Amino acid sequence: MKTKAQVFKIIIALCFLLFYTPRVPFTAFVSSSTSIRLDTIVSLLTSVLIISYTLTKKLTKGNLFVFLFAATLLFQGESGIFEKAATFLHYISIILFLYLIVDIRIYNYEKLLKKFNFFVFFNVAIHFIFLLFDLNYSITNSLGQNNIIGAFGILHAPYNFTLLVFSGFIIEYYLHRKLFTPKTLVLFVAIIFAYSRITFGATIICILFIMYKDGLLKAKNIFSISIGVIFVFAFQSSVPKSLEIFNFFKTSLSEDPSLGMRLINIERYIEWLDFSKILFGGGARAYTLFATQYGQPGPFDNIYLRVLSEVGIVGFMVIALYLYILFKKMKLNIQLKTYFMFLLIFGLFNESALSIKGAQIVLISILIIKGIFNNAVLSKIK
């Protein structure tokens, strides 16, 4: 039991080390544009520890089957062997980390929450300061541009940042059952000024769900929301890009460059498919064969289609069944249901929940939400 707790503490410590590790590139995979960075090395170490511990100390038939099944599907295709191995280790470590979260019974959730909250507001403070003064520090070389610190804190781009901020927002709300506190307002403003329409839209849907479940959808609250929407329509030429989501009611979706790029990638995906790929996918990072961003191979920006492109319908169903069994054992509370609602919507237009740092943000958030929202732990925190 003591060894189990110690290993889990090391895994959590490595996750936080990864959070603070900058995107410093060293080299690229052979015949690939994918760079090897300082943060990817820390992520790889974390993955190896999770996998080795789970398969040696927590080996089950289900874990072994998913491990071998994923290896069979991900190691097919045209990507280089190092890319296949790195992708495989990353994906399997995410699944097995979820298994460990379900399995863990006792943990110092109060301390974990304090560390996580510090990281959230640390990034929010950097984001506002660097946004206000239009500052940014990045490393640019033959491997591309990697933002070290600036807008979006130390998380390089908007999606991991907004994923982090929403995670902090949902935890803060459910701790106090109040939508309007200084912390929730700061986090909500950070989401608005993170220039991510999908995150803003998903956040609004989740807030409405929270209000409905908590009986807060009263006439005065509906009136306040309506005034806010009217304000956005009236001044949308000067509001952040996040609020341009309301343009969807006035403008054809095909005219939006960001959505247009996603639609083109879906068309290319359909053209790329054949019967074998529909069933079993094209292996690790298969989406780079057809998905582009600004003329370069890039992410699919749809987590479901990304997984389908790599492991096909068969692999997708096996993973979905395994996750269903895990979540059933976890006995989802309303807090986790709300968080998963956000992730499901978020995944339609983004795949950060599978990215380095993004995946760990989600996993740590699930651990915190699962752990603190029971009466014993929650009473201590309050």
Side-chain angles (χ1 to χ4, degrees):
M1 182 66 71
K2 190 174 181 180
T3 302
K4 171 183 171 182
Q6 288 174 340
V7 172
F8 199 74
K9 285 182 180 178
I10 294 172
I11 292 171
I12 299 299
L14 283 173
C15 286
F16 276 91
L17 175 62
L18 175 61
F19 289 162
Y20 288 98
T21 303
R23 290 171 58 98
V24 179
F26 296 119
T27 185
F29 287 115
V30 179
S31 303
S32 170
S33 60
T34 305
S35 61
I36 301 174
R37 307 185 308 264
L38 187 58
D39 58 335
T40 59
I41 293 173
V42 176
S43 175
L44 182 62
L45 291 173
T46 309
S47 298
V48 169
L49 177 60
I50 292 170
I51 294 168
S52 58
Y53 173 71
T54 308
L55 294 184
T56 55
K57 301 296 183 181
K58 292 289 179 181
L59 183 62
T60 66
K61 291 180 180 179
N63 288 342
L64 183 61
F65 173 75
V66 170
F67 182 88
L68 296 175
F69 185 78
T72 302
L73 293 182
L74 289 172
F75 275 89
Q76 63 174 325
E78 302 179 25
S79 298
I81 186 63
F82 293 108
E83 290 176 290
K84 291 175 181 176
T87 302
F88 168 71
L89 291 174
H90 181 60
Y91 285 3
I92 287 297
S93 69
I94 293 172
I95 293 173
L96 295 182
F97 197 157
L98 277 171
Y99 173 81
L100 293 178
I101 289 174
V102 173
D103 185 62
I104 197 75
R105 292 291 179 267
I106 301 173
Y107 195 77
N108 189 343
Y109 295 107
E110 303 99 300
K111 187 175 180 180
L112 179 62
L113 177 60
K114 288 179 181 178
K115 289 182 178 179
F116 186 75
N117 274 339
F118 177 83
F119 185 66
V120 171
F121 285 97
F122 171 73
N123 277 277
V124 168
I126 292 174
H127 174 68
F128 282 133
I129 292 169
F130 277 71
L131 201 63
L132 180 63
F133 295 101
D134 194 24
L135 300 173
N136 181 64
Y137 175 70
S138 62
I139 295 176
T140 304
N141 54 25
S142 59
L143 300 173
Q145 179 175 318
N146 289 276
N147 295 326
I148 305 300
I149 188 170
F152 319 118
I154 57 174
L155 292 173
H156 176 69
Y159 291 115
N160 279 349
F161 174 76
T162 52
L163 193 56
L164 174 71
V165 175
F166 179 82
S167 301
F169 176 88
I170 202 70
I171 292 170
E172 183 64 26
Y173 167 75
Y174 277 117
L175 277 175
H176 304 287
R177 290 284 179 172
K178 293 180 180 178
L179 274 176
F180 303 109
T181 68
K183 287 184 179 179
T184 55
L185 287 174
V186 167
L187 294 173
F188 185 71
V189 172
I191 289 173
I192 291 175
F193 283 90
Y195 307 113
S196 169
R197 290 171 295 181
I198 182 58
T199 306
F200 176 76
T203 300
I204 292 297
I205 291 172
C206 288
I207 288 175
L208 291 173
F209 175 74
I210 289 169
M211 294 174 71
Y212 170 74
K213 295 296 289 185
D214 288 359
L216 299 175
L217 275 181
K218 298 176 182 178
K220 63 177 183 180
N221 292 326
I222 295 174
F223 177 76
S224 299
I225 294 171
S226 301
I227 293 297
V229 171
I230 292 170
F231 177 83
V232 169
F233 271 111
F235 298 99
Q236 60 184 330
S237 61
S238 59
V239 297
K241 182 181 176 182
S242 308
L243 303 186
E244 289 179 9
I245 190 170
F246 294 105
N247 274 332
F248 292 174
F249 298 105
K250 297 169 52 177
T251 308
S252 171
L253 296 184
S254 61
E255 295 177 15
D256 183 280
S258 179
L259 285 174
M261 182 171 58
R262 288 173 168 86
L263 292 173
I264 290 172
N265 285 336
I266 292 173
E267 290 176 4
R268 290 174 176 169
Y269 168 60
I270 294 171
E271 292 173 358
W272 173 79
L273 285 173
D274 56 34
F275 185 71
S276 174
K277 290 170 183 172
I278 290 173
L279 288 180
F280 303 109
R285 295 178 60 81
Y287 56 89
T288 59
L289 298 173
F290 55 82
T292 60
Q293 282 202 354
Y294 310 109
Q296 299 293 329
F300 206 148
D301 275 340
N302 183 302
I303 200 168
Y304 310 107
L305 294 180
R306 168 174 169 165
V307 174
L308 282 170
S309 72
E310 293 181 307
V311 299
I313 292 175
V314 174
F316 189 94
M317 292 178 66
V318 168
I319 294 170
L321 178 62
Y322 183 84
L323 293 178
Y324 171 77
I325 294 170
L326 282 184
F327 293 147
K328 193 172 182 180
K329 289 181 179 179
M330 197 182 291
K331 297 178 180 178
L332 302 183
N333 52 34
I334 187 63
Q335 294 85 1
L336 277 174
K337 288 178 180 177
T338 306
Y339 190 62
F340 287 142
M341 177 193 296
F342 172 84
L343 293 177
L344 288 170
I345 300 169
F346 189 69
L348 288 171
F349 296 93
N350 189 262
E351 54 193 56
S352 287
L354 282 180
S355 71
I356 292 175
K357 295 190 181 181
Q360 287 76 15
I361 288 169
V362 170
L363 291 167
I364 294 294
S365 300
I366 292 172
L367 174 61
I368 291 172
I369 295 170
K370 169 186 174 284
I372 65 174
F373 291 109
N374 65 65
N375 293 332
V377 177
L378 192 57
S379 61
K380 290 181 182 179
I381 295 175
K382 285 187 173 180

